[in-house]
Amino acid sequence: MTTHKYKDIEYSLKKSKRKTSSIYIERDGSISVLVPSELQQDEIENILERKRFRIYSHLAEWEDANTSRVYREFVSGEGFFYLGRTYKLEIVEKQESALKLKNGQFLLRRKDLSNAKELFINFYKEKGRKKINERVDYWKKLLNVEPNDIKIMELQNRWGSCSEKRNVNFHWKTIMAPLTILDYIVAHELTHLIHPNHSEAFWNELDKVMPDYLHRKSWLNIHGAGMDL
């Protein structure tokens, strides 16, 4: 993506073969604009002008949501999320593996403290791969879609993505969320296999299989910033 500025709106721009235009407020508060390849700069700026009120409304929501952001330390007693529950960390002297979840606690071997973040990320990726594949199998049947590939990865400021090649990707942080919210993220991305945008048709399609998606979406907007390392 390339960075642009229109009046007081700074945004990243990406052009592709898509047919519609979309504007996203990313998890770090930045603005991303996705448009068809043939769209000219003045046309893009017209879209931004028309959507100005909505953009700033969403930015205000993002600022409110980020009051839940937590900066965690890898010390005994610190809490870490897994499937919506908080598990306290205990630093231990000896155990067979560097990090494990046992008896309601995360146990981290002291000699591995310098690699704690990487160990947690690997834990979330491993657990996420199994659970997310289970949820994809469930929701793809309801939506009557078939993704080409599913990956758990670092997605920077997004919970999930769906490519033109019908590959569906999920951020490793999604496994921190309660199952109902994880289901929202999964169903959301799979719906993009039907509508590769956030048009009214997209939300209507998601509503068919998840009538309470707005409640789940709101939860993620409010609490999502707290799911971090």
Side-chain angles (χ1 to χ4, degrees), residues 8-9 15 39 59-60 63 78 82 91 93-94 112 118-119 138 145 161-162 168 176 191 197 199 201 210-211 226:
D8 56 345
I9 300 175
K15 292 187 174 183
L39 225 60
L59 281 173
E63 289 178 1
E78 183 68 273
Y82 175 57
I91 308 300
E93 296 301 327
K94 294 182 180 181
D112 297 295
E118 181 182 352
L119 290 168
Y138 175 81
V145 296
S161 67
C162 181
V168 182
M176 295 183 185
T191 303
N197 49 47
S199 62
M210 188 178 284

Side-chain angles (χ1 to χ4, degrees), residues 116-126 154 172 229:
K117 185 171 183 177
E118 181 182 352
L119 290 168
F120 266 92
I121 291 173
N122 288 338
F123 172 89
Y124 288 130
K125 283 183 176 179
E126 179 184 348
E154 172 64 54
W172 54 263
L229 290 178

Side-chain angles (χ1 to χ4, degrees), residues 23 25 37 41 44 48 64 77 87 102 104 108 119 123 125-126 130 162 166 179 186 196 203 208 218 220 228:
I23 300 174
I25 306 300
S37 301
Q41 189 61 30
I44 296 170
L48 288 168
D64 289 342
Y87 296 88
K102 183 179 179 181
L108 174 64
L119 290 168
F123 172 89
K125 283 183 176 179
E126 179 184 348
K130 180 180 179 181
C162 181
R166 302 181 67 80
L179 185 58
V186 169
W203 296 111
K208 292 177 185 176
S218 176
L220 189 59
D228 207 345

